[in-house]
Amino acid sequence: MTLASDSIEDSVVTAILAGRLRPGTRLGESKLAEIYGVSRTRVREAMMRLEARGIVHVSARRGWFIVEPSATDARAAFQARRLIEAGMLRALHHVPADAVAHLRAHVEEERRALDAGQVGSRTCLLGDFHIHLAHTFGNPFLTDILRDLTARTTLVSMLYQSEQHAAESSDDHDRIVALLADGDFAGAAALMDEHIRRVEDGLDLAATPDPLAGLREILSPGAPAFPFAANSNTAFPNAGGEET
Amino acid sequence: MTLASDSIEDSVVTAILAGRLRPGTRLGESKLAEIYGVSRTRVREAMMRLEARGIVHVSARRGWFIVEPSATDARAAFQARRLIEAGMLRALHHVPADAVAHLRAHVEEERRALDAGQVGSRTCLLGDFHIHLAHTFGNPFLTDILRDLTARTTLVSMLYQSEQHAAESSDDHDRIVALLADGDFAGAAALMDEHIRRVEDGLDLAATPDPLAGLREILSPGAPAFPFAANSNTAFPNAGGEET
DNA sequence: CGAACCAATCTTGTATACAAGACTGATCAG
DNA sequence: CTGATCAGTCTTGTATACAAGATTGGTTCG
């Protein structure tokens, strides 16, 4: 609850959704404490809460790590998202015009990031769409649940190197909003189910997750700096999180 | 993660599901520390995690309290449960025979507690049915989510003094299991939606939650001892939680 | 008699100290 | 040159001390 802990929690989740924090990344208590200018106590509080949310896990006396979902976890997370997101759309009766406008604007933003080739911003926006949609539904519990589930599936995508055809995803989003605007909630639900299934199918869950994925990215020329590089001043560079 | 913290978390959630811990009950750090024989540090860890799960909240420098869901929260929690539980049943393809047997046994146990007039055990079992069902579905994320949501709706029932016709609930459970055994998953889903809606409709969400409900129960003759009575040795008396 | 005020007590908020285990790198034996 | 061993360092685990706000009960004044 303390403002600092909250800000740490949000930073971590936002960074995951934006693809700036990879699965398996170590989050050192002292380092985070220094970055946020707080004591280790606060950092630990935030980590405990993130652990309860299934975002990080602790390895005894080694540190906190962003979770690395197993293939089984991945399937369960996608199934949960399908069930909840499609269920929300199906349960919908009416969508206010301004909510539709808001969603349209979001999809438009996705498109722009896509055209501009902004990978980080694009990843963040594609995940954010689902959270916005949950927000539109108006059930705060489901919104929170979906934020965490979406964070997990984002980690899954990073781990199992999805093809993740961003353009197709954005097209799906566009069509879902169109169906909502038409009042075809069953259709929107069906498309959402199909959409999430498509993302899941794009993954290679049979593949052993590559433990060197992070390292490789660091070593590849032109790659963005590692978020936890020694002299990194800002916690997670390129923070581009929009409003909730 | 530390064993003690985990045990505290489980104790609290189990006690809520059993109706032994009322909304608004204060959980003092020192008292819990003494009860569990651990330091305040561990207790705080457990409370932080429970806070992240929406089970308790902290009032600055006053203490930790079991959440008291507002009418809005109540509706949202029931809606979330309906959506997820019905969704799970609808998504079901096949239920192993032993799972059906397990559920039947559970309903039988409900019936027995009902006939014996064991209120605490009955409350616990009625809530546990839904968690068992989630477990049967086999998605651990959804199971965890539903456990917390069920804890919340249990709190809601206590706050808004539901009629909560236990016998009817158990009948519903029985029929749901029968439909599952028949392979009529859509029917089971529809009945589940109706069942949860019925429980919700039994509440008086318009009523201002009675802030003295807990006190009244304590003062009424023959009431069970207050869980946090001064000389209470065990944390939550009558602990009767089954396996997960 | 009642209301406001104030001190004593209790409870959480936060930092810090120290213990214990994990890791790293050097050293040494084969 | 390779592999094992071991000391030093780093990181988390845990307890405790103390600060700050909230509550409570008594006291005083009108």
Side-chain angles (χ1 to χ4, degrees), chain A residues 143-219:
Chain A
T143 305
D144 287 348
I145 289 167
L146 271 179
R147 190 196 323 281
D148 294 349
L149 282 174
T150 302
R152 273 195 274 234
T153 55
T154 302
L155 291 173
V156 167
S157 296
M158 290 192 245
L159 211 42
Y160 299 90
Q161 17 210 1
S162 86
E163 286 300 313
Q164 186 77 302
H165 296 116
E168 287 182 14
S169 278
S170 194
D171 284 348
D172 281 346
H173 292 179
D174 192 45
R175 266 177 288 167
I176 288 170
V177 174
L179 287 170
L180 283 184
D182 284 354
D184 181 3
F185 303 115
L191 180 51
M192 177 60 89
D193 186 281
E194 196 186 327
H195 166 58
I196 298 178
R197 204 178 290 270
R198 196 153 28 225
V199 173
E200 184 179 356
D201 286 345
L203 303 177
D204 183 11
L205 292 180
T208 304
D210 183 355
L212 296 180
L215 181 58
R216 178 174 306 158
E217 181 169 352
I218 294 166
L219 298 179

Side-chain angles (χ1 to χ4, degrees), chain B residues 62-133:
Chain B
R62 282 177 18 86
W64 299 88
F65 297 85
I66 304 290
V67 295
E68 301 177 87
S70 68
T72 306
D73 289 341
R75 274 184 273 265
F78 276 108
Q79 181 184 47
R81 279 191 55 188
R82 277 207 314 273
L83 197 147
I84 295 175
E85 297 197 47
M88 285 197 315
L89 293 179
R90 204 177 293 117
L92 229 37
H93 290 298
H94 168 75
V95 180
D98 62 339
V100 171
H102 196 70
L103 289 171
R104 270 199 218 282
H106 186 94
V107 173
E108 189 55 43
E109 206 174 342
E110 285 179 14
R111 183 70 49 179
R112 243 177 292 134
L114 211 63
D115 291 342
Q118 300 167 332
V119 179
S121 167
R122 180 191 76 190
T123 308
C124 188
L125 287 167
L126 287 177
D128 244 26
F129 173 78
H130 294 265
I131 297 168
H132 271 81
L133 204 52

Side-chain angles (χ1 to χ4, degrees), chain B residues 132-171:
Chain B
H132 271 81
L133 204 52
H135 189 75
T136 300
F137 187 64
N139 187 314
F141 298 144
L142 290 177
T143 304
D144 287 348
I145 289 167
L146 271 179
R147 191 196 320 283
D148 293 349
L149 282 175
T150 302
R152 273 195 275 232
T153 56
T154 301
L155 291 173
V156 167
S157 296
M158 290 193 246
L159 255 187
Y160 300 91
Q161 16 211 4
S162 85
E163 287 300 313
Q164 187 77 304
H165 296 116
E168 287 182 15
S169 278
S170 193
D171 285 347

Side-chain angles (χ1 to χ4, degrees), chain A residues 23-103:
Chain A
T25 303
R26 178 166 172 278
L27 302 176
E29 291 185 4
S30 316
K31 189 155 285 182
L32 286 181
E34 189 187 346
I35 288 172
Y36 286 95
V38 300
S39 74
R40 269 182 58 211
T41 307
R42 299 273 195 76
V43 173
R44 278 181 74 80
E45 287 180 7
M47 291 298 124
M48 300 266 165
R49 277 192 276 250
L50 284 174
E51 188 185 36
R53 294 168 61 182
I55 305 289
V56 305
H57 74 106
V58 64
S59 174
R61 265 169 248 273
R62 281 176 18 86
W64 299 88
F65 298 85
I66 304 289
V67 295
E68 301 176 87
S70 67
T72 305
D73 289 341
R75 273 183 275 262
F78 276 108
Q79 180 185 46
R81 278 191 56 187
R82 278 206 314 272
L83 197 147
I84 295 175
E85 296 197 47
M88 286 196 315
L89 294 179
R90 204 177 293 117
L92 230 38
H93 290 298
H94 168 74
V95 180
D98 62 340
V100 172
H102 196 69
L103 289 171

